[in-house]
mmCIF file with all atom_site columns, all heavy atoms in Angstrom:
data_model
loop_
_atom_site.group_PDB
_atom_site.id
_atom_site.type_symbol
_atom_site.label_atom_id
_atom_site.label_alt_id
_atom_site.label_comp_id
_atom_site.label_asym_id
_atom_site.label_entity_id
_atom_site.label_seq_id
_atom_site.pdbx_PDB_ins_code
_atom_site.Cartn_x
_atom_site.Cartn_y
_atom_site.Cartn_z
_atom_site.occupancy
_atom_site.B_iso_or_equiv
_atom_site.pdbx_formal_charge
_atom_site.auth_seq_id
_atom_site.auth_comp_id
_atom_site.auth_asym_id
_atom_site.auth_atom_id
_atom_site.pdbx_PDB_model_num
ATOM 1   N N   . LEU A 1 30  ? -28.158 5.602  44.296 1.00 98.00 ? 30  LEU A N   1
ATOM 2   C CA  . LEU A 1 30  ? -28.079 6.617  43.239 1.00 98.00 ? 30  LEU A CA  1
ATOM 3   C C   . LEU A 1 30  ? -27.067 6.193  42.172 1.00 98.00 ? 30  LEU A C   1
ATOM 4   O O   . LEU A 1 30  ? -27.344 6.281  40.966 1.00 98.00 ? 30  LEU A O   1
ATOM 5   C CB  . LEU A 1 30  ? -27.690 7.977  43.836 1.00 98.00 ? 30  LEU A CB  1
ATOM 6   C CG  . LEU A 1 30  ? -27.620 9.150  42.859 1.00 98.00 ? 30  LEU A CG  1
ATOM 7   C CD1 . LEU A 1 30  ? -28.918 9.320  42.077 1.00 98.00 ? 30  LEU A CD1 1
ATOM 8   C CD2 . LEU A 1 30  ? -27.268 10.451 43.586 1.00 98.00 ? 30  LEU A CD2 1
ATOM 9   N N   . MET A 1 34  ? -27.488 5.410  38.105 1.00 97.00 ? 34  MET A N   1
ATOM 10  C CA  . MET A 1 34  ? -26.649 6.042  37.088 1.00 97.00 ? 34  MET A CA  1
ATOM 11  C C   . MET A 1 34  ? -26.094 4.976  36.131 1.00 97.00 ? 34  MET A C   1
ATOM 12  O O   . MET A 1 34  ? -26.113 5.134  34.905 1.00 97.00 ? 34  MET A O   1
ATOM 13  C CB  . MET A 1 34  ? -25.525 6.833  37.762 1.00 97.00 ? 34  MET A CB  1
ATOM 14  C CG  . MET A 1 34  ? -26.064 8.061  38.510 1.00 97.00 ? 34  MET A CG  1
ATOM 15  S SD  . MET A 1 34  ? -24.979 8.682  39.819 1.00 97.00 ? 34  MET A SD  1
ATOM 16  C CE  . MET A 1 34  ? -23.933 9.801  38.914 1.00 97.00 ? 34  MET A CE  1
ATOM 17  N N   . PHE A 1 66  ? -17.128 10.283 42.052 1.00 98.00 ? 66  PHE A N   1
ATOM 18  C CA  . PHE A 1 66  ? -18.561 10.499 42.285 1.00 98.00 ? 66  PHE A CA  1
ATOM 19  C C   . PHE A 1 66  ? -18.718 11.632 43.288 1.00 98.00 ? 66  PHE A C   1
ATOM 20  O O   . PHE A 1 66  ? -18.158 11.573 44.384 1.00 98.00 ? 66  PHE A O   1
ATOM 21  C CB  . PHE A 1 66  ? -19.136 9.181  42.833 1.00 98.00 ? 66  PHE A CB  1
ATOM 22  C CG  . PHE A 1 66  ? -20.628 9.161  43.096 1.00 98.00 ? 66  PHE A CG  1
ATOM 23  C CD1 . PHE A 1 66  ? -21.520 9.949  42.399 1.00 98.00 ? 66  PHE A CD1 1
ATOM 24  C CD2 . PHE A 1 66  ? -21.148 8.294  44.061 1.00 98.00 ? 66  PHE A CD2 1
ATOM 25  C CE1 . PHE A 1 66  ? -22.881 9.910  42.648 1.00 98.00 ? 66  PHE A CE1 1
ATOM 26  C CE2 . PHE A 1 66  ? -22.506 8.230  44.325 1.00 98.00 ? 66  PHE A CE2 1
ATOM 27  C CZ  . PHE A 1 66  ? -23.370 9.036  43.617 1.00 98.00 ? 66  PHE A CZ  1
ATOM 28  N N   . PRO A 1 72  ? -31.471 13.008 46.633 1.00 98.00 ? 72  PRO A N   1
ATOM 29  C CA  . PRO A 1 72  ? -32.920 13.210 46.471 1.00 98.00 ? 72  PRO A CA  1
ATOM 30  C C   . PRO A 1 72  ? -33.723 12.491 47.553 1.00 98.00 ? 72  PRO A C   1
ATOM 31  O O   . PRO A 1 72  ? -33.255 11.513 48.155 1.00 98.00 ? 72  PRO A O   1
ATOM 32  C CB  . PRO A 1 72  ? -33.210 12.629 45.088 1.00 98.00 ? 72  PRO A CB  1
ATOM 33  C CG  . PRO A 1 72  ? -32.077 11.717 44.786 1.00 98.00 ? 72  PRO A CG  1
ATOM 34  C CD  . PRO A 1 72  ? -30.892 12.227 45.529 1.00 98.00 ? 72  PRO A CD  1
ATOM 35  N N   . ILE A 1 78  ? -36.182 12.481 39.563 1.00 98.00 ? 78  ILE A N   1
ATOM 36  C CA  . ILE A 1 78  ? -34.865 12.965 39.140 1.00 98.00 ? 78  ILE A CA  1
ATOM 37  C C   . ILE A 1 78  ? -34.645 12.585 37.671 1.00 98.00 ? 78  ILE A C   1
ATOM 38  O O   . ILE A 1 78  ? -35.277 11.670 37.150 1.00 98.00 ? 78  ILE A O   1
ATOM 39  C CB  . ILE A 1 78  ? -33.733 12.377 40.014 1.00 98.00 ? 78  ILE A CB  1
ATOM 40  C CG1 . ILE A 1 78  ? -33.761 10.828 39.985 1.00 98.00 ? 78  ILE A CG1 1
ATOM 41  C CG2 . ILE A 1 78  ? -33.818 12.899 41.443 1.00 98.00 ? 78  ILE A CG2 1
ATOM 42  C CD1 . ILE A 1 78  ? -32.588 10.170 40.689 1.00 98.00 ? 78  ILE A CD1 1
ATOM 43  N N   . ILE A 1 79  ? -33.743 13.317 37.042 1.00 98.00 ? 79  ILE A N   1
ATOM 44  C CA  . ILE A 1 79  ? -33.358 13.015 35.654 1.00 98.00 ? 79  ILE A CA  1
ATOM 45  C C   . ILE A 1 79  ? -31.867 12.695 35.653 1.00 98.00 ? 79  ILE A C   1
ATOM 46  O O   . ILE A 1 79  ? -31.054 13.466 36.184 1.00 98.00 ? 79  ILE A O   1
ATOM 47  C CB  . ILE A 1 79  ? -33.661 14.199 34.728 1.00 98.00 ? 79  ILE A CB  1
ATOM 48  C CG1 . ILE A 1 79  ? -35.185 14.387 34.615 1.00 98.00 ? 79  ILE A CG1 1
ATOM 49  C CG2 . ILE A 1 79  ? -33.052 13.977 33.335 1.00 98.00 ? 79  ILE A CG2 1
ATOM 50  C CD1 . ILE A 1 79  ? -35.615 15.694 34.026 1.00 98.00 ? 79  ILE A CD1 1
ATOM 51  N N   . ILE A 1 80  ? -31.526 11.560 35.084 1.00 98.00 ? 80  ILE A N   1
ATOM 52  C CA  . ILE A 1 80  ? -30.120 11.159 34.981 1.00 98.00 ? 80  ILE A CA  1
ATOM 53  C C   . ILE A 1 80  ? -29.708 11.223 33.516 1.00 98.00 ? 80  ILE A C   1
ATOM 54  O O   . ILE A 1 80  ? -30.368 10.651 32.648 1.00 98.00 ? 80  ILE A O   1
ATOM 55  C CB  . ILE A 1 80  ? -29.889 9.747  35.553 1.00 98.00 ? 80  ILE A CB  1
ATOM 56  C CG1 . ILE A 1 80  ? -30.289 9.718  37.040 1.00 98.00 ? 80  ILE A CG1 1
ATOM 57  C CG2 . ILE A 1 80  ? -28.432 9.332  35.374 1.00 98.00 ? 80  ILE A CG2 1
ATOM 58  C CD1 . ILE A 1 80  ? -30.105 8.373  37.713 1.00 98.00 ? 80  ILE A CD1 1
ATOM 59  N N   . LYS A 1 81  ? -28.620 11.957 33.260 1.00 97.00 ? 81  LYS A N   1
ATOM 60  C CA  . LYS A 1 81  ? -28.084 12.085 31.905 1.00 97.00 ? 81  LYS A CA  1
ATOM 61  C C   . LYS A 1 81  ? -26.715 11.411 31.856 1.00 97.00 ? 81  LYS A C   1
ATOM 62  O O   . LYS A 1 81  ? -25.942 11.512 32.813 1.00 97.00 ? 81  LYS A O   1
ATOM 63  C CB  . LYS A 1 81  ? -27.941 13.567 31.520 1.00 97.00 ? 81  LYS A CB  1
ATOM 64  C CG  . LYS A 1 81  ? -29.267 14.321 31.545 1.00 97.00 ? 81  LYS A CG  1
ATOM 65  C CD  . LYS A 1 81  ? -29.121 15.743 31.043 1.00 97.00 ? 81  LYS A CD  1
ATOM 66  C CE  . LYS A 1 81  ? -30.468 16.458 31.042 1.00 97.00 ? 81  LYS A CE  1
ATOM 67  N NZ  . LYS A 1 81  ? -30.415 17.782 30.407 1.00 97.00 ? 81  LYS A NZ  1
ATOM 68  N N   . TYR A 1 96  ? -21.728 11.076 33.914 1.00 98.00 ? 96  TYR A N   1
ATOM 69  C CA  . TYR A 1 96  ? -23.111 11.010 34.408 1.00 98.00 ? 96  TYR A CA  1
ATOM 70  C C   . TYR A 1 96  ? -23.427 12.323 35.132 1.00 98.00 ? 96  TYR A C   1
ATOM 71  O O   . TYR A 1 96  ? -22.583 12.852 35.857 1.00 98.00 ? 96  TYR A O   1
ATOM 72  C CB  . TYR A 1 96  ? -23.279 9.892  35.454 1.00 98.00 ? 96  TYR A CB  1
ATOM 73  C CG  . TYR A 1 96  ? -22.745 8.543  35.077 1.00 98.00 ? 96  TYR A CG  1
ATOM 74  C CD1 . TYR A 1 96  ? -21.380 8.258  35.174 1.00 98.00 ? 96  TYR A CD1 1
ATOM 75  C CD2 . TYR A 1 96  ? -23.598 7.514  34.675 1.00 98.00 ? 96  TYR A CD2 1
ATOM 76  C CE1 . TYR A 1 96  ? -20.884 7.002  34.857 1.00 98.00 ? 96  TYR A CE1 1
ATOM 77  C CE2 . TYR A 1 96  ? -23.113 6.247  34.371 1.00 98.00 ? 96  TYR A CE2 1
ATOM 78  C CZ  . TYR A 1 96  ? -21.752 6.004  34.459 1.00 98.00 ? 96  TYR A CZ  1
ATOM 79  O OH  . TYR A 1 96  ? -21.263 4.759  34.151 1.00 98.00 ? 96  TYR A OH  1
ATOM 80  N N   . LYS A 1 97  ? -24.667 12.800 34.967 1.00 98.00 ? 97  LYS A N   1
ATOM 81  C CA  . LYS A 1 97  ? -25.138 13.966 35.732 1.00 98.00 ? 97  LYS A CA  1
ATOM 82  C C   . LYS A 1 97  ? -26.569 13.700 36.181 1.00 98.00 ? 97  LYS A C   1
ATOM 83  O O   . LYS A 1 97  ? -27.371 13.163 35.410 1.00 98.00 ? 97  LYS A O   1
ATOM 84  C CB  . LYS A 1 97  ? -25.079 15.241 34.880 1.00 98.00 ? 97  LYS A CB  1
ATOM 85  C CG  . LYS A 1 97  ? -23.649 15.692 34.585 1.00 98.00 ? 97  LYS A CG  1
ATOM 86  C CD  . LYS A 1 97  ? -23.618 16.905 33.671 1.00 98.00 ? 97  LYS A CD  1
ATOM 87  C CE  . LYS A 1 97  ? -22.175 17.293 33.355 1.00 98.00 ? 97  LYS A CE  1
ATOM 88  N NZ  . LYS A 1 97  ? -22.096 18.334 32.314 1.00 98.00 ? 97  LYS A NZ  1
ATOM 89  N N   . VAL A 1 98  ? -26.872 14.091 37.418 1.00 98.00 ? 98  VAL A N   1
ATOM 90  C CA  . VAL A 1 98  ? -28.206 13.878 37.997 1.00 98.00 ? 98  VAL A CA  1
ATOM 91  C C   . VAL A 1 98  ? -28.815 15.241 38.324 1.00 98.00 ? 98  VAL A C   1
ATOM 92  O O   . VAL A 1 98  ? -28.167 16.073 38.972 1.00 98.00 ? 98  VAL A O   1
ATOM 93  C CB  . VAL A 1 98  ? -28.126 13.023 39.292 1.00 98.00 ? 98  VAL A CB  1
ATOM 94  C CG1 . VAL A 1 98  ? -29.525 12.752 39.834 1.00 98.00 ? 98  VAL A CG1 1
ATOM 95  C CG2 . VAL A 1 98  ? -27.383 11.714 39.036 1.00 98.00 ? 98  VAL A CG2 1
ATOM 96  N N   . TYR A 1 99  ? -30.060 15.453 37.874 1.00 98.00 ? 99  TYR A N   1
ATOM 97  C CA  . TYR A 1 99  ? -30.739 16.735 38.093 1.00 98.00 ? 99  TYR A CA  1
ATOM 98  C C   . TYR A 1 99  ? -32.085 16.512 38.772 1.00 98.00 ? 99  TYR A C   1
ATOM 99  O O   . TYR A 1 99  ? -32.715 15.464 38.600 1.00 98.00 ? 99  TYR A O   1
ATOM 100 C CB  . TYR A 1 99  ? -31.004 17.427 36.754 1.00 98.00 ? 99  TYR A CB  1
ATOM 101 C CG  . TYR A 1 99  ? -29.762 17.814 35.991 1.00 98.00 ? 99  TYR A CG  1
ATOM 102 C CD1 . TYR A 1 99  ? -29.190 16.922 35.084 1.00 98.00 ? 99  TYR A CD1 1
ATOM 103 C CD2 . TYR A 1 99  ? -29.167 19.057 36.165 1.00 98.00 ? 99  TYR A CD2 1
ATOM 104 C CE1 . TYR A 1 99  ? -28.047 17.265 34.366 1.00 98.00 ? 99  TYR A CE1 1
ATOM 105 C CE2 . TYR A 1 99  ? -28.028 19.409 35.450 1.00 98.00 ? 99  TYR A CE2 1
ATOM 106 C CZ  . TYR A 1 99  ? -27.478 18.513 34.557 1.00 98.00 ? 99  TYR A CZ  1
ATOM 107 O OH  . TYR A 1 99  ? -26.348 18.860 33.848 1.00 98.00 ? 99  TYR A OH  1
ATOM 108 N N   . ASP A 1 100 ? -32.534 17.540 39.522 1.00 98.00 ? 100 ASP A N   1
ATOM 109 C CA  . ASP A 1 100 ? -33.934 17.513 39.952 1.00 98.00 ? 100 ASP A CA  1
ATOM 110 C C   . ASP A 1 100 ? -34.785 18.124 38.838 1.00 98.00 ? 100 ASP A C   1
ATOM 111 O O   . ASP A 1 100 ? -34.258 18.555 37.804 1.00 98.00 ? 100 ASP A O   1
ATOM 112 C CB  . ASP A 1 100 ? -34.125 18.228 41.307 1.00 98.00 ? 100 ASP A CB  1
ATOM 113 C CG  . ASP A 1 100 ? -33.825 19.728 41.266 1.00 98.00 ? 100 ASP A CG  1
ATOM 114 O OD1 . ASP A 1 100 ? -33.766 20.313 40.161 1.00 98.00 ? 100 ASP A OD1 1
ATOM 115 O OD2 . ASP A 1 100 ? -33.648 20.330 42.353 1.00 98.00 ? 100 ASP A OD2 1
ATOM 116 N N   . ASN A 1 104 ? -31.674 21.682 38.819 1.00 98.00 ? 104 ASN A N   1
ATOM 117 C CA  . ASN A 1 104 ? -30.519 21.784 39.715 1.00 98.00 ? 104 ASN A CA  1
ATOM 118 C C   . ASN A 1 104 ? -29.689 20.502 39.656 1.00 98.00 ? 104 ASN A C   1
ATOM 119 O O   . ASN A 1 104 ? -30.237 19.405 39.691 1.00 98.00 ? 104 ASN A O   1
ATOM 120 C CB  . ASN A 1 104 ? -30.976 22.003 41.163 1.00 98.00 ? 104 ASN A CB  1
ATOM 121 C CG  . ASN A 1 104 ? -31.778 23.283 41.317 1.00 98.00 ? 104 ASN A CG  1
ATOM 122 O OD1 . ASN A 1 104 ? -31.352 24.350 40.899 1.00 98.00 ? 104 ASN A OD1 1
ATOM 123 N ND2 . ASN A 1 104 ? -32.968 23.169 41.900 1.00 98.00 ? 104 ASN A ND2 1
ATOM 124 N N   . LEU A 1 105 ? -28.367 20.659 39.594 1.00 98.00 ? 105 LEU A N   1
ATOM 125 C CA  . LEU A 1 105 ? -27.467 19.503 39.568 1.00 98.00 ? 105 LEU A CA  1
ATOM 126 C C   . LEU A 1 105 ? -27.397 18.890 40.970 1.00 98.00 ? 105 LEU A C   1
ATOM 127 O O   . LEU A 1 105 ? -27.040 19.562 41.935 1.00 98.00 ? 105 LEU A O   1
ATOM 128 C CB  . LEU A 1 105 ? -26.070 19.935 39.115 1.00 98.00 ? 105 LEU A CB  1
ATOM 129 C CG  . LEU A 1 105 ? -25.034 18.833 38.935 1.00 98.00 ? 105 LEU A CG  1
ATOM 130 C CD1 . LEU A 1 105 ? -25.392 17.909 37.777 1.00 98.00 ? 105 LEU A CD1 1
ATOM 131 C CD2 . LEU A 1 105 ? -23.638 19.437 38.712 1.00 98.00 ? 105 LEU A CD2 1
ATOM 132 N N   . LEU A 1 106 ? -27.773 17.609 41.087 1.00 98.00 ? 106 LEU A N   1
ATOM 133 C CA  . LEU A 1 106 ? -27.765 16.911 42.381 1.00 98.00 ? 106 LEU A CA  1
ATOM 134 C C   . LEU A 1 106 ? -26.489 16.103 42.593 1.00 98.00 ? 106 LEU A C   1
ATOM 135 O O   . LEU A 1 106 ? -26.017 15.971 43.721 1.00 98.00 ? 106 LEU A O   1
ATOM 136 C CB  . LEU A 1 106 ? -28.970 15.965 42.490 1.00 98.00 ? 106 LEU A CB  1
ATOM 137 C CG  . LEU A 1 106 ? -30.361 16.582 42.392 1.00 98.00 ? 106 LEU A CG  1
ATOM 138 C CD1 . LEU A 1 106 ? -31.427 15.513 42.624 1.00 98.00 ? 106 LEU A CD1 1
ATOM 139 C CD2 . LEU A 1 106 ? -30.523 17.719 43.401 1.00 98.00 ? 106 LEU A CD2 1
ATOM 140 N N   . ALA A 1 107 ? -25.959 15.535 41.525 1.00 98.00 ? 107 ALA A N   1
ATOM 141 C CA  . ALA A 1 107 ? -24.761 14.694 41.631 1.00 98.00 ? 107 ALA A CA  1
ATOM 142 C C   . ALA A 1 107 ? -24.160 14.531 40.250 1.00 98.00 ? 107 ALA A C   1
ATOM 143 O O   . ALA A 1 107 ? -24.833 14.740 39.233 1.00 98.00 ? 107 ALA A O   1
ATOM 144 C CB  . ALA A 1 107 ? -25.117 13.327 42.219 1.00 98.00 ? 107 ALA A CB  1
ATOM 145 N N   . TRP A 1 108 ? -22.899 14.152 40.234 1.00 98.00 ? 108 TRP A N   1
ATOM 146 C CA  . TRP A 1 108 ? -22.254 13.842 38.958 1.00 98.00 ? 108 TRP A CA  1
ATOM 147 C C   . TRP A 1 108 ? -21.152 12.827 39.187 1.00 98.00 ? 108 TRP A C   1
ATOM 148 O O   . TRP A 1 108 ? -20.657 12.668 40.302 1.00 98.00 ? 108 TRP A O   1
ATOM 149 C CB  . TRP A 1 108 ? -21.729 15.099 38.272 1.00 98.00 ? 108 TRP A CB  1
ATOM 150 C CG  . TRP A 1 108 ? -20.677 15.871 39.015 1.00 98.00 ? 108 TRP A CG  1
ATOM 151 C CD1 . TRP A 1 108 ? -20.877 16.896 39.894 1.00 98.00 ? 108 TRP A CD1 1
ATOM 152 C CD2 . TRP A 1 108 ? -19.254 15.699 38.931 1.00 98.00 ? 108 TRP A CD2 1
ATOM 153 N NE1 . TRP A 1 108 ? -19.676 17.373 40.367 1.00 98.00 ? 108 TRP A NE1 1
ATOM 154 C CE2 . TRP A 1 108 ? -18.671 16.650 39.792 1.00 98.00 ? 108 TRP A CE2 1
ATOM 155 C CE3 . TRP A 1 108 ? -18.424 14.838 38.216 1.00 98.00 ? 108 TRP A CE3 1
ATOM 156 C CZ2 . TRP A 1 108 ? -17.292 16.776 39.963 1.00 98.00 ? 108 TRP A CZ2 1
ATOM 157 C CZ3 . TRP A 1 108 ? -17.048 14.947 38.384 1.00 98.00 ? 108 TRP A CZ3 1
ATOM 158 C CH2 . TRP A 1 108 ? -16.499 15.902 39.241 1.00 98.00 ? 108 TRP A CH2 1
ATOM 159 N N   . ALA A 1 109 ? -20.802 12.128 38.128 1.00 98.00 ? 109 ALA A N   1
ATOM 160 C CA  . ALA A 1 109 ? -19.721 11.144 38.218 1.00 98.00 ? 109 ALA A CA  1
ATOM 161 C C   . ALA A 1 109 ? -19.029 11.025 36.872 1.00 98.00 ? 109 ALA A C   1
ATOM 162 O O   . ALA A 1 109 ? -19.643 11.203 35.824 1.00 98.00 ? 109 ALA A O   1
ATOM 163 C CB  . ALA A 1 109 ? -20.271 9.775  38.637 1.00 98.00 ? 109 ALA A CB  1
#
Side-chain angles (χ1 to χ4, degrees):
L30 182 55
M34 291 158 88
F66 182 28
I78 57 173
I79 292 166
I80 300 180
K81 300 185 178 187
Y96 310 80
K97 291 176 182 171
V98 183
Y99 296 90
D100 65 16
N104 299 309
L105 184 67
L106 300 184
W108 62 269

